[in-house]
Amino acid sequence: MKPLDLITIGRSSVDLYGDQIGGRLEDMGSFSKYIGGSPTNIACGTARLGLKSAVITGVGDEHMGRFIREQLLREGVDVRGVKTDPERLTALVLLGIRDEDSFPLIFYRENCADMGLTEEDIDESFIAEARAVLATGTHLSHPRTRAAVIRALELARKHGAKTALDIDYRPNLWGVAGHGEGESRFVESEKVTAELQSTLHYFDLIVGTEEEFHIAGGSTDTIAALRAVRQVSGATLVCKRGAAGAVAFEGAIPDSLDDGQTGPGFPIEVFNVLGAGDGFFSGLMKGWLDGEDWPRALEYANACGAFAVSRHGCTPAYPSLTELEFFLRRGVQRPDLRNDAELEQVHRATNRANPGAGDWSTMRVFAFDHRGQLEEMPGYTPEKGGAFKQLCLQAALQVADGQPGYGILCDNRIGRAALHAASGSGLWIGRPAEWPGSRPLRLEPELGPDCGGLQEWARENVVKVLCFCHPDDDAALRAEQEATMARLYAAARRNGLEFLLEVIPSKVGPVDDQTTAKLIRQFYAAGIYPDWWKLEPMTTRAGWQNAIAAIEDHDRHTRGIVVLGLDASKEKLAASFDIAAGFDLVRGFAVGRTIFADAARAWIQGEMGDDEAVRQMADRYAALCAIWDKARATAKEAA
């Protein structure tokens, strides 16, 4: 068994997608940033479908290059083949969605980093690890990158790997169309045809649109073009036909495209064709490498292409394997897939990349997002509060020591400097949105009346909202709080931010083993599906079982639960951890005052120095981490 299923090779870019649909690219007011480039998209798309994928490409030694590398890692793609080029910049692409037939784009690829690939960048031992190697046409357009691709294909053949080509014809990247013609998909060129045909014998699978086979075959008659390709290659040829689906030919080309092997298509709305071919190829590779027959592989491909044309962006549109299976099982409910709430929930929940760095199956969170509690301390000033929260961050980083599974809760009003400093540190970062102590729920003024302020939040910030609520709340209060919550939740989703909902019913009324579970069900009924739940410690297994059942009945893909502290002593927290750690969905804790309260009082009044405050908080935080880890280990042993 080889360690990699697939290595793709070729271009990578940062795609800047215009946010305004229907407008000219000239008039775009804002852009969303995604990873892009056909082989990069396909590596991500296949990784989402469960294949072990890698990419050989080049990025610049700058912010956009680091973005591509980091995003590939988040997607689960092996980046050993990603070359960092100190001399060249990462490629950029500007794209827009004008209407269902017009998708303007501009390539910024002049001597870009991925075009710096050479034969010397192709590592034989790396290629030998893969079951398949996939190349895309752009890198056959230049002698330097062409040599690198041919080297990779020859090594793939040597080591028994399958080989595939995405023709991916972009006339302006071959120099036969101008910079302003990035949208153009076909310009006749005998030179391009000759260059392509000289390489087609290397491939076991060749995929392209009718226009792409026209350039590969040197004829604008599709059957004639396919037969010309067949003369120089024994590959299976897969011809994409847009709304008519796709057709596969393993042997001689018949007189009609309708006589090839096909898979079922899907009647969906065309919203964005950019990147649809890469989604298609991702599904096709999944079927091909899993040994499925061509009709089944084409069904995967058509479904993945359908997702892509119905959503904004390329890689972000591609499905997870869970989502693909759900879609094939359930079918099309509405043609505009991006507005299918059930499908979008599965899409979002199963394609979340971890914020920060690492695996958040264990959560050890130092919560110092408190505002009111600090402001009430004798000697408090906003300057002191902000400085103290930077000490809290120091303590958190000291304990985490670069390891995964650690995080903070920090506000922007007092703790802005600490919050911003935490970005990129590897910590999970939660940020409160509620006005402290409010009931009915009110939000921080910085968010604005429509929660538009979330647009300014760092994308690794998790929206945390605490709602003081109880199942016995009167209908008017419940409706008001749920409406505020729904507005915040919708804005978080719109801005690509994860959402943590904290509920503390014990501060409102009496609680029993059903109280928290009832609240959870109420929020799901209101259409709110948190990525995270933050729940107060429950003293019985039944309480936890009921709460977890309420979550899993509605959302099998939630990130999980963290246990809050409520200023409890270390001994009480240890007792609550012993119960909570027996449930896998409880990932860990988010505790604050137990860690920082004593240090805060002393430091604010000048009775404790910086170093002593950091040391005390780090010791208490580390002790709680050890208590949780021991409770989890004991629970696993008992199970």
Side-chain angles (χ1 to χ4, degrees):
M1 179 69 72
K2 292 190 174 184
L4 290 173
D5 294 309
L6 174 67
I7 296 175
T8 66
I9 179 170
R11 59 192 175 95
S12 60
S13 65
V14 173
D15 286 358
L16 300 175
Y17 259 84
D19 291 321
Q20 291 74 49
I21 309 304
R24 301 187 310 158
L25 195 55
E26 292 90 330
D27 298 326
M28 289 296 150
S30 61
F31 295 82
S32 293
K33 176 166 66 75
Y34 307 129
I35 198 168
S38 292
T40 310
N41 287 335
I42 294 169
C44 294
T46 50
R48 288 188 174 190
L49 294 174
L51 297 183
K52 297 183 289 292
S53 303
V55 61
I56 296 174
T57 189
V59 298
D61 187 14
E62 22 75 354
H63 309 78
M64 295 299 100
R66 289 191 289 276
F67 164 70
I68 290 176
R69 184 181 292 275
E70 291 171 9
Q71 188 62 32
L72 285 168
L73 288 170
R74 293 186 189 104
E75 294 284 355
V77 175
D78 188 316
V79 297
R80 286 177 291 162
V82 178
K83 172 186 177 181
T84 298
D85 191 325
E87 303 299 326
R88 297 175 175 87
L89 291 171
T90 304
L92 299 177
V93 185
L94 269 62
L95 313 94
I97 301 174
R98 186 78 163 101
D99 54 45
E100 65 179 37
D101 298 313
S102 179
F103 305 91
L105 69 159
I106 305 171
F107 291 99
Y108 289 82
R109 295 185 48 81
E110 190 69 32
N111 197 29
C112 65
D114 67 59
M115 293 301 289
L117 286 178
T118 68
E119 281 187 82
E120 289 70 33
D121 296 317
I122 307 303
D123 183 338
E124 181 172 358
S125 63
F126 185 47
I127 298 293
E129 292 184 25
R131 295 171 55 208
V133 171
L134 186 155
T136 57
T138 299
H139 272 54
L140 299 174
S141 67
H142 188 281
R144 179 175 56 240
T145 54
R146 179 189 180 89
V149 171
I150 298 302
R151 172 68 173 160
L153 294 170
E154 289 173 343
L155 291 173
R157 287 294 180 88
K158 175 181 176 181
H159 292 282
K162 296 181 177 182
T163 54
L165 171 68
D166 181 356
I167 299 173
D168 186 36
Y169 181 44
R170 305 286 181 152
N172 67 336
L173 300 185
W174 281 83
V176 294
H179 291 307
E181 298 177 86
E183 189 179 357
S184 171
R185 297 305 179 98
F186 182 72
V187 174
E188 289 186 273
S189 169
E190 292 182 2
K191 178 182 178 182
V192 174
T193 297
E195 292 280 3
L196 286 173
Q197 289 198 356
S198 69
T199 65
L200 298 183
H201 64 282
Y202 284 106
F203 299 101
D204 302 307
L205 173 65
I206 299 173
V207 178
T209 62
E210 290 191 56
E211 292 82 4
E212 287 170 337
F213 274 108
H214 292 170
I215 193 68
S219 171
T220 55
D221 179 282
T222 303
I223 295 297
L226 288 166
R227 287 173 173 167
V229 171
R230 174 60 73 231
Q231 288 179 356
V232 295
S233 174
T236 297
L237 309 182
V238 174
C239 182
K240 297 179 289 185
R241 305 175 67 192
V247 59
F249 302 100
E250 292 184 279
I253 306 302
D255 293 333
S256 171
L257 292 179
D258 296 333
D259 293 333
Q261 298 185 67
T262 61
F266 303 91
I268 51 88
E269 174 202 68
V270 175
F271 176 70
N272 169 34
V273 302
L274 301 172
D278 303 335
F280 176 94
F281 215 146
S282 298
L284 192 70
M285 290 300 294
K286 170 66 175 174
W288 189 42
L289 292 179
D290 281 359
E292 303 285 0
D293 60 23
W294 285 111
R296 181 63 167 169
L298 288 168
E299 181 182 27
Y300 289 169
N302 289 337
C304 292
F307 283 115
V309 300
S310 187
R311 291 171 173 157
H312 197 259
C314 298
T315 290
Y318 303 155
S320 66
L321 183 58
T322 298
E323 181 185 1
L324 176 62
E325 292 171 342
F326 171 81
F327 177 69
L328 294 177
R329 183 172 62 249
R330 193 206 64 170
V332 177
Q333 295 287 311
R334 54 183 299 167
D336 50 340
L337 300 184
R338 68 192 176 283
N339 293 319
D340 182 327
E342 184 180 25
L343 185 62
E344 281 300 289
Q345 173 59 24
V346 176
H347 175 69
R348 183 175 182 277
T350 58
N351 287 306
R352 284 178 296 220
N354 288 326
D359 174 12
W360 302 114
S361 59
T362 297
M363 292 285 286
R364 312 172 191 89
V365 179
F366 179 7
F368 51 90
D369 58 325
H370 304 68
R371 287 142 288 164
Q373 295 89 339
L374 279 178
E375 290 167 336
E376 293 168 359
M377 289 183 179
Y380 170 85
T381 65
E383 293 74 23
K384 286 184 178 180
F388 180 74
K389 293 203 172 192
Q390 292 185 70
L391 300 180
C392 292
L393 175 61
Q394 288 182 39
L397 291 169
Q398 182 176 311
V399 174
D401 194 25
Q403 304 170 87
Y406 293 83
I408 62 169
L409 280 167
C410 181
D411 65 293
N412 186 62
R413 182 149 52 87
I414 298 173
R416 179 175 300 175
L419 180 70
H420 292 179
S423 289
S425 67
L427 293 172
W428 178 95
I429 304 169
R431 176 172 168 180
E434 80 281 352
W435 185 259
S438 59
R439 177 174 153 86
L441 175 65
R442 290 187 294 123
L443 303 178
E444 283 275 6
E446 66 167 340
L447 296 179
D450 62 348
C451 300
L454 289 182
Q455 185 177 5
E456 299 174 3
W457 284 32
R459 288 299 174 261
E460 62 185 304
N461 290 174
V462 175
V463 179
K464 170 257 175 184
V465 58
L466 165 58
C467 185
F468 291 101
C469 52
H470 194 278
D472 295 338
D473 287 341
D474 64 69
L477 175 59
R478 175 181 164 187
E480 181 179 353
Q481 297 213 119
E482 287 180 353
T484 301
M485 187 76 70
R487 188 168 69 253
L488 178 66
Y489 173 70
R493 291 285 295 264
R494 186 168 60 249
N495 286 284
L497 299 167
E498 292 196 13
F499 191 86
L500 181 152
L501 175 52
E502 177 179 3
V503 293
I504 310 182
S506 68
K507 296 292 187 181
V508 179
V511 299
D512 58 28
D513 289 344
Q514 293 290 343
T515 305
T516 298
K518 289 178 181 177
L519 284 174
I520 290 169
R521 293 184 187 278
Q522 287 178 1
F523 279 111
Y524 280 125
I528 297 161
Y529 284 69
D531 301 278
W532 297 95
W533 288 92
K534 186 181 178 193
L535 303 178
E536 60 183 319
M538 285 170 266
T539 58
T540 67
R541 285 187 58 83
W544 279 113
Q545 287 170 336
N546 293 334
I548 289 169
I551 293 171
E552 293 185 335
D553 284 349
H554 294 86
D555 184 7
R556 306 291 297 188
H557 306 295
T558 186
R559 289 281 203 189
I561 302 166
V562 290
V563 186
L564 57 92
L566 291 177
D567 202 17
S569 67
K570 185 170 72 172
E571 292 71 27
K572 287 185 177 180
L573 284 174
S576 71
F577 288 177
D578 285 341
I579 300 172
F583 299 92
D584 288 342
L585 197 62
V586 182
R587 308 301 192 196
F589 64 85
V591 173
R593 282 172 288 171
T594 305
I595 299 171
F596 76 74
D598 291 341
R601 293 188 191 95
W603 185 87
I604 286 173
Q605 295 186 69
E607 298 170 358
M608 179 183 287
D610 292 358
D611 293 344
E612 177 61 17
V614 171
R615 185 198 62 75
Q616 184 185 103
M617 291 188 290
D619 287 349
R620 293 186 178 186
Y621 180 32
L624 283 181
C625 293
I627 291 169
W628 173 261
D629 290 346
K630 180 180 178 182
R632 180 68 99 192
T634 300
K636 287 184 176 179
E637 289 174 9

